[in-house]
Amino acid sequence: MKIAFYIVLAAIVLALVAAQVGLLSGQRPGDIGVKDGRLKPPSGTRNSVSSQAGLYPDHPQRAYATIDPLPFKQGGAAPSFKALDAVLRGMPGVSIVEQRPDYLYAQAQTRWLKFIDDVEFWVNPANGVIEVRSASRLGQEDFGVNRKRIEAIRTAYLAGP
């Protein structure tokens, strides 16, 4: 019984040390961004959400990944993106890495284990929405973390000016 406790304790300490030196952050994907009006497809495993999942009808994780885009606020794309920027800058663990007038790429880092998720937003002028995609870099299951993050962003975004 004591040995099992020490093994679990050692595993926890090892995981925290690995996280602090960046071993759990993964690598930034080289294929993110907007190509032909599309964000990267959802992951092949249950660790991402995308408002464009419907564009991939045969995708094995389409049902799991599907999430609504953000609607434009009054005034259109520019004020909507400004409001989104303010929401993201106010979220703990979220860093904006790249921003253009129609695209925003951020990284969300967990507090203890320092996992990084890639979060993208693209202004879709044809549909009058901001398309969203959030995906974990590591692992095959996100336990709903990406969906919860996007829904928290949506709530703050819709509540703001």
Side-chain angles (χ1 to χ4, degrees):
M1 190 74 151
K2 259 185 165 181
I3 293 175
F5 170 77
Y6 288 117
I7 290 173
V8 170
L9 183 61
I12 291 170
V13 169
L14 184 61
L16 290 173
V17 169
Q20 299 309 308
V21 298
L23 296 178
L24 301 179
S25 62
Q27 297 293 319
R28 177 179 173 173
D31 58 348
I32 57 174
V34 182
K35 294 173 183 74
D36 299 323
R38 294 181 179 206
L39 295 170
K40 182 178 175 175
S43 300
T45 57
R46 294 170 49 96
N47 67 353
S48 70
V49 294
S50 172
S51 61
Q52 293 186 320
L55 297 175
Y56 306 94
D58 297 328
H59 194 283
Q61 296 302 325
R62 187 185 62 147
Y64 179 82
T66 299
I67 195 165
D68 290 334
L70 301 176
F72 278 177
K73 290 184 162 286
Q74 186 174 3
S80 299
F81 236 40
K82 184 176 180 180
L84 176 61
D85 177 83
V87 166
L88 295 173
R89 290 185 190 280
M91 293 185 77
V94 175
S95 301
I96 296 174
V97 177
E98 180 182 343
Q99 188 169 9
R100 299 188 304 262
D102 67 341
Y103 176 78
L104 189 147
Y105 166 61
Q107 294 176 349
Q109 186 175 55
T110 63
R111 184 175 180 186
W112 296 105
L113 294 181
K114 308 289 186 199
F115 290 116
I116 294 181
D117 296 342
D118 298 294
V119 189
E120 298 180 278
F121 302 90
W122 172 62
V123 171
N124 184 337
N127 294 345
V129 297
I130 299 173
E131 304 288 357
V132 301
R133 181 180 185 277
S134 184
S136 302
R137 289 183 179 177
L138 300 177
Q140 296 186 8
E141 174 68 52
D142 72 352
F143 304 101
V145 169
N146 285 291
R147 183 172 305 280
K148 288 175 191 165
R149 177 184 306 108
I150 294 298
E151 292 305 339
I153 291 168
R154 180 188 317 282
T155 298
Y157 170 81
L158 293 175

